[in-house]
Amino acid sequence: MRLRRRRTLAYVKSSKPTPIHPQSLSNELVDAYLSGSRLALARVITRVENDPSLFPALRKALDGRLGKGVRIGITGPPGVGKSTLTSAIALGLAGKGHKVGVIAVDPSSPFTGGAFMGDRVRMDALVGNPDIYVRSLASREGHGGLSPSTPYVAEVIEGYGMDRILIETVGVGQAELDVLRCADIVVLVLQPSTGDTIQTLKAGIIEAADLIVVNKADLPGIDSALQSLRFLFSLSGPRPDKPAPPVLATSAQQSSGIEKVIAEIEKQAGELISSGRHEAMRARRLVEEIRQSIQKELWTAFDSTIGADAAIAKEAAKLAKTGGSPYEFVRKACAKVRIEPVK
């Protein structure tokens, strides 16, 4: 008798990080991950997601493994079929010989902190494919469509050997542009009969797109949506740093138009690499990573010197009662912290 695998909807009760023992990223686990163990990959991601402070130590082991993967952000409003489209693109890229990692970000509840990992259900077709790895992340305290741990997880997946990494965001609106800082190519997904949505998005996320896909092309209004988008770019013109994005129609549910989307993604990926822009984009991401690391180190030094949280709370309570500017406190507090040069 053939057993049917049950499709279940996972629910993570809390998005608060679980305390991790500092030694949980053991040499044995890292060696297994570097040797190609998928179980080790999953465990490394979990540990780094819950405790990003573990990533710097792992980063040393990834020298020579990073820099070649192309990251494709897939974003857009809720309900436009991003997960189904992401699944179809992943299968198509794997069919062309790529190793594909998929990061699917699901929204966390602002009330309970939990998250339904529903994207995994809609990507059921990817299960068991040896060339595709799917990881769901809760958005946690992230507000730009991504989880704060997304950049670290992307590095871990690339270090595992994936050369195409799809990052599907939570449903986003006009000003949520975190994906722009995390991806090399941004695919904006819309659907027909969303004229008001196009109007809302035109001054924000739509300008970040390298490719626009109008999904659910089997619904009424597809021609109008395509015309509206193309007319929009004819009026406003492209961004100064790149041409107007192609506008393509798909029906991911019916596997229609997917090949054209994959061909355009591969075309742009090839141009990024050959022009040197891919390396430049990676350098910009590293600038942000270095800045964040410096800020963290400086805050640690600052906190160890004055007990920052308690001192700031005390000063804020005093200023709230008496008035005055907080900047004198900032100047005096910072003067107590000395950064000694490394000899």
Side-chain angles (χ1 to χ4, degrees):
M1 180 178 67
R2 185 178 179 182
L3 297 177
R4 295 180 61 188
R5 183 165 52 86
R6 295 180 61 191
R7 293 172 56 175
T8 58
L9 194 64
Y11 181 72
V12 180
K13 289 185 178 180
S14 174
S15 65
K16 294 181 180 179
T18 302
I20 298 286
H21 191 278
Q23 300 301 319
S24 61
L25 209 57
S26 64
N27 291 336
E28 292 78 11
L29 178 60
V30 173
D31 288 343
Y33 153 73
L34 295 174
S35 298
S37 166
R38 285 207 169 202
L39 178 59
L41 169 61
R43 288 176 174 170
V44 169
I45 290 175
T46 297
R47 284 156 173 74
V48 169
E49 180 187 6
N50 286 330
D51 187 0
S53 67
L54 295 174
F55 182 74
L58 174 66
R59 183 65 175 75
K60 295 179 182 179
L62 300 182
D63 286 346
R65 289 174 172 253
L66 301 177
K68 297 180 180 178
V70 177
R71 301 179 187 184
I72 300 104
I74 299 177
T75 190
V80 295
K82 293 189 297 295
S83 296
T84 306
L85 182 64
T86 299
S87 179
I89 292 172
L91 286 170
L93 289 172
K96 292 184 178 298
H98 292 292
K99 300 293 185 181
V100 184
V102 178
I103 301 173
V105 183
D106 283 281
S108 296
S109 167
F111 303 104
T112 67
F116 282 102
M117 300 305 187
D119 287 342
R120 292 294 292 271
V121 173
R122 290 186 287 272
M123 296 183 186
D124 197 48
L126 306 183
V127 175
N129 191 313
D131 296 321
I132 300 174
Y133 179 81
V134 183
R135 178 66 183 220
S136 292
L137 299 179
S139 62
R140 296 191 172 180
E141 67 270 25
H143 300 291
L146 298 177
S147 165
S149 64
T150 302
Y152 303 112
V153 174
E155 297 271 85
V156 172
I157 290 177
E158 183 180 347
Y160 184 74
M162 304 303 189
D163 66 323
R164 293 291 183 269
I165 301 169
L166 305 180
I167 303 172
E168 185 207 339
T169 75
V170 170
V172 301
Q174 182 176 356
E176 295 158 315
L177 300 175
D178 278 7
V179 68
L180 184 62
R181 294 187 289 271
C182 197
D184 302 307
I185 299 170
V186 176
V187 179
L188 174 62
V189 187
L190 301 173
Q191 68 179 22
S193 304
T194 53
D196 290 341
T197 300
I198 293 171
Q199 181 69 19
T200 301
L201 294 174
K202 70 179 182 181
I205 187 69
I206 204 167
E207 295 178 312
D210 298 292
L211 171 61
I212 297 177
V213 176
V214 184
N215 194 32
K216 303 186 180 181
D218 50 310
L219 297 180
I222 180 63
D223 292 334
S224 175
L226 294 173
Q227 290 174 6
S228 296
L229 284 162
R230 288 164 181 158
F231 180 65
L232 172 65
F233 285 107
S234 72
L235 286 178
S236 61
R239 276 174 39 185
D241 59 332
K242 65 180 181 181
V247 180
L248 301 177
T250 64
S251 176
Q253 196 71 44
Q254 299 181 358
S255 301
S256 172
I258 304 300
E259 281 299 322
K260 290 184 178 179
V261 171
I262 294 171
E264 180 61 32
I265 289 173
E266 286 296 273
K267 175 187 173 184
Q268 293 192 24
E271 291 172 350
L272 280 175
I273 294 169
S274 63
S275 67
R277 286 169 53 217
H278 184 244
E279 184 175 326
M281 295 174 84
R282 175 164 175 76
R284 284 198 294 270
R285 285 199 295 268
L286 286 169
V287 166
E288 184 64 23
E289 184 177 337
I290 291 169
R291 282 179 174 173
Q292 290 179 357
S293 296
I294 290 173
Q295 289 170 358
K296 184 176 179 180
E297 291 292 329
L298 290 176
W299 176 261
T300 299
F302 183 76
D303 187 35
S304 65
T305 302
I306 70 165
D309 288 338
I312 291 171
K314 181 179 178 181
E315 181 68 15
K318 184 183 79 173
L319 292 173
K321 288 182 178 180
T322 64
S325 170
Y327 299 110
E328 183 64 19
F329 166 78
V330 172
R331 186 185 65 79
K332 291 180 179 179
C334 289
K336 296 178 181 180
V337 181
R338 296 184 60 188
I339 306 299
E340 299 291 341
V342 177
K343 297 180 180 179

